[in-house]
């Protein structure tokens, strides 16, 4: 941009946001830079942004890779306000979503299969990352406006409870993808571990796929909710008698727990050739004993979010089955309190920021 007022490059445009400035202090206001839109870019006014436990992990530097200032947020829904002249996917005025990624190499074996999350070079995360240039920081959805290349923009059908759609962009796809990959369907016995943001979507989606769902929780507090959400059984995982009753029953387990916990006892609930997939990302490694695996040819696996085509498929699946998240809408000023409650597993079942409160 040529400017008569600046000798070098003019400053980038900015957007109102909230950021973490270190791993201890509360989040506070920040003017986040946003790039000038390119021909392939979509500019979105953010309406709602979910609060994922990954936001908390990264704000606290649990994964030892945090860069500050950090504007978290990767469960974004908003309205398109402008598109570059190469954009065909969305038009100004339409609803759009952005999830955990805003770019990838777009040409490796993973990217060409629509598995951008497993890009061989690396995907570009929506925040706490750098653009493909290797230097420009990315800032997430706790902000008024975001600029994203159209490949990484999802289309969202016009609907009323938009705040309840936002969590699908991470919690929804992260649970949908492994349920599909391991071919969960009618009659599959699925275990879901942890009833938080991911866990409650796993219950809803697995039940909608026709599975019989058993919920494992660290407390008894969520028993009624789990049933209402679609779980058929509820197990207090610290109760060994309840755990023994589940011995060799399940075909598949999705573990969404955000902290250290005992997976040996959970593995024993899998039947022959059963698989347990970890989607939770605790700060410290989990202990993996060999015997529960080898005694019934069990597998343990992991799964990361989902690719862009599958995210669109998940949004369409959820629209068709009338599935959204159970949310508690908060103002941006309440974000630090929401973080404290998330740390205590006190969320029913996703906090979502009303971005209008950013001013
Ligand atoms: P969340 O809403 O906080 O839910 C986590 C649940 O885990 C809690 O509600 C709680 O359920 C259980 N839990 C928490 N601490 C526990 C402990 N010490 N022992 C046993 N259970 C405990 O978190 P979320 O947003 O769903 O995210 C869950 C995890 O997935 C996080 O680690 C996050 O970073 C990760 N994640 C991974 C991906 C991916 O691509 N794989 C994507 C998104 C998020 P109960 O009260 O029922 O026990
Ligand atoms: Zn997330
Ligand atoms: Zn790639």
């Amino acid at each position: 941009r040529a400017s008569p007022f600046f000798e070098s490059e003019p400053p980038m445009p900015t957007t109102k946001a909230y950021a973490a400035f270190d791993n201890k202090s509360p989040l506070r206001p920040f003017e986040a830079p946003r790039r000038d839109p390119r021909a392939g870019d979509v500019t979105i006014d953010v309406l709602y942004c979910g609060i994922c436990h990954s936001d908390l992990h990264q704000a606290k530097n649990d994964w030892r890779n945090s860069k500050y200032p950090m504007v978290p947020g990767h469960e974004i829904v908003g309205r398109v306000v402008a598109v570059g002249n190469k954009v065909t996917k969305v038009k100004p005025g339409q609803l759009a979503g952005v999830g955990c990624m805003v770019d990838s190499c777009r040409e490796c074996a993973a990217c060409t299969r629509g598995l951008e999350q497993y890009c061989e070079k690396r995907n570009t995360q929506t925040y706490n990352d750098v653009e493909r240039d290797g230097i420009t920081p990315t800032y997430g959805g706790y902000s008024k406006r975001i600029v994203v290349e159209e490949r990484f923009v999802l289309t969202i059908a016009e609907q009323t409870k938009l705040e309840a759609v936002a969590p699908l962009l991470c919690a929804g796809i992260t649970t949908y993808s492994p349920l599909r990959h391991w071919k969960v369907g009618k009659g599959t016995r699925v275990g879901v571990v942890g009833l938080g943001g991911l866990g409650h979507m796993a219950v809803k989606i697995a039940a909608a796929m026709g599975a019989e769902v058993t919920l494992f929780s660290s407390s008894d507090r969520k028993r009624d909710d789990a049933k209402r959400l679609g779980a058929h059984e509820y197990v207090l995982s610290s109760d060994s008698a309840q755990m023994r009753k589940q011995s060799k029953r399940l075909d598949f387990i999705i573990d969404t727990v955000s902290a250290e916990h005992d997976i040996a006892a959970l593995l024993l609930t899998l039947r022959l050739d059963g698989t347990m997939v970890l989607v939770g990302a605790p700060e410290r490694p989990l202990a993996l004993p060999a015997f529960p695996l080898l005694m019934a040819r069990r597998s343990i696996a992991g799964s990361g979010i989902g690719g862009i085509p599958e995210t669109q498929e998940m949004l369409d699946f959820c629209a068709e089955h009338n599935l959204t998240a159970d949310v508690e809408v908060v103002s941006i000023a309440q974000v630090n309190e929401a973080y404290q409650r998330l740390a205590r597993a006190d969320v029913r079942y996703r906090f979502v920021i009303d971005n209008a409160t950013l001013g």
Side-chain angles (χ1 to χ4, degrees):
R1 286 193 295 165
S3 164
F5 305 111
F6 296 91
E7 284 186 36
S8 55
E9 281 288 292
M12 281 190 184
T14 62
T15 184
K16 280 186 179 160
Y18 254 52
F21 289 83
D22 56 54
N23 68 346
K24 286 182 210 62
S25 318
L27 274 64
R28 56 178 203 270
F30 173 62
E31 288 286 328
R34 289 290 182 217
R35 68 169 179 249
D36 283 326
R38 303 167 189 149
D41 278 346
V42 179
T43 303
I44 300 167
D45 271 359
V46 183
L47 296 172
Y48 295 101
C49 183
I51 298 180
C52 179
H53 205 115
S54 300
D55 301 352
L56 181 59
H57 284 306
Q58 290 175 94
K60 303 268 172 254
N61 198 20
D62 282 352
W63 300 335
R64 312 287 183 269
N65 69 348
S66 295
K67 291 178 271 292
Y68 303 100
M70 177 196 304
V71 177
H74 58 206
E75 292 185 336
I76 299 165
V77 293
R79 210 166 276 286
V80 177
V81 288
V83 296
N85 58 18
K86 288 208 179 121
V87 172
T88 56
K89 205 187 239 180
V90 286
K91 292 192 178 67
Q94 287 182 341
L95 294 175
V98 180
C100 304
M101 299 177 287
V102 289
D103 216 340
S104 70
C105 89
R106 308 182 203 180
E107 51 193 33
C108 72
C111 286
T112 50
R113 287 174 62 198
L115 297 171
E116 300 89 346
Q117 77 274 37
Y118 304 125
C119 174
E120 289 168 10
K121 301 230 168 79
R122 71 173 179 97
N123 68 60
T124 303
Q125 298 272 294
T126 304
Y127 68 88
N128 194 28
D129 204 353
V130 286
E131 303 270 9
R132 307 310 287 178
D133 65 8
I135 48 170
T136 309
T138 58
Y139 296 107
Y142 299 5
S143 62
K144 288 291 276 186
R145 181 167 281 198
I146 191 163
V147 179
V148 180
E149 208 278 335
E150 79 166 323
R151 175 167 172 162
F152 293 84
V153 171
L154 289 308
T155 61
I156 291 175
E158 206 59 47
Q159 54 197 289
T160 45
K161 277 180 58 193
L162 208 52
E163 63 276 19
V165 175
L168 303 182
L169 276 305
C170 175
I173 183 59
T174 301
T175 50
Y176 180 90
S177 184
L179 290 167
R180 272 274 180 266
H181 183 76
W182 275 276
K183 299 189 169 50
V184 165
K186 203 167 165 39
T188 312
R189 285 184 174 165
V190 173
V192 175
V193 190
L195 195 60
L198 267 56
H200 97 292
M201 287 314 306
V203 171
K204 290 187 186 203
I205 295 171
M209 288 173 172
E212 185 200 302
V213 181
T214 300
L215 193 283
F216 295 89
S217 181
S218 60
S219 88
D220 241 334
R221 287 176 296 167
K222 301 173 180 173
R223 190 176 285 273
D224 293 344
D225 285 349
K227 295 273 163 73
R228 176 178 56 77
L229 295 165
H232 304 86
E233 294 208 36
Y234 189 94
V235 178
L236 176 63
S237 46
S238 58
D239 181 327
S240 47
Q242 286 185 40
M243 289 297 284
R244 263 197 308 278
K245 270 198 199 146
Q246 298 297 322
S247 178
K248 298 191 177 149
R249 271 197 73 239
L250 305 174
D251 301 298
F252 180 73
I253 296 176
I254 178 164
D255 184 332
T256 75
V257 175
S258 53
E260 266 180 295
H261 61 294
D262 174 20
I263 56 169
L266 291 164
L267 284 167
L268 295 174
T269 69
L270 286 171
R271 38 197 282 207
L272 177 62
D273 288 331
T275 297
M276 172 167 178
V277 60
L278 300 178
V279 292
E283 180 180 359
R284 275 180 282 275
L286 301 171
L288 178 60
F291 278 94
L293 292 179
L294 58 85
M295 285 187 310
R297 203 163 55 188
R298 298 174 176 114
S299 302
I300 190 150
S303 185
I305 50 174
I308 297 300
E310 196 173 45
T311 304
Q312 193 63 60
E313 179 189 308
M314 176 277 310
L315 287 168
D316 299 344
F317 176 91
C318 287
E320 185 190 325
H321 291 266
N322 216 357
L323 299 182
T324 54
D326 286 24
V327 300
E328 220 180 297
V329 177
V330 295
S331 70
I332 193 71
Q334 293 171 294
V335 68
N336 294 300
E337 189 190 323
Y339 272 25
Q340 288 167 7
R341 286 185 49 197
L342 199 55
R344 298 196 299 265
D346 175 21
V347 51
R348 310 273 167 120
Y349 279 89
R350 197 57 139 186
F351 292 112
V352 173
I353 297 164
D354 176 355
N355 289 56
T357 62
L358 274 157

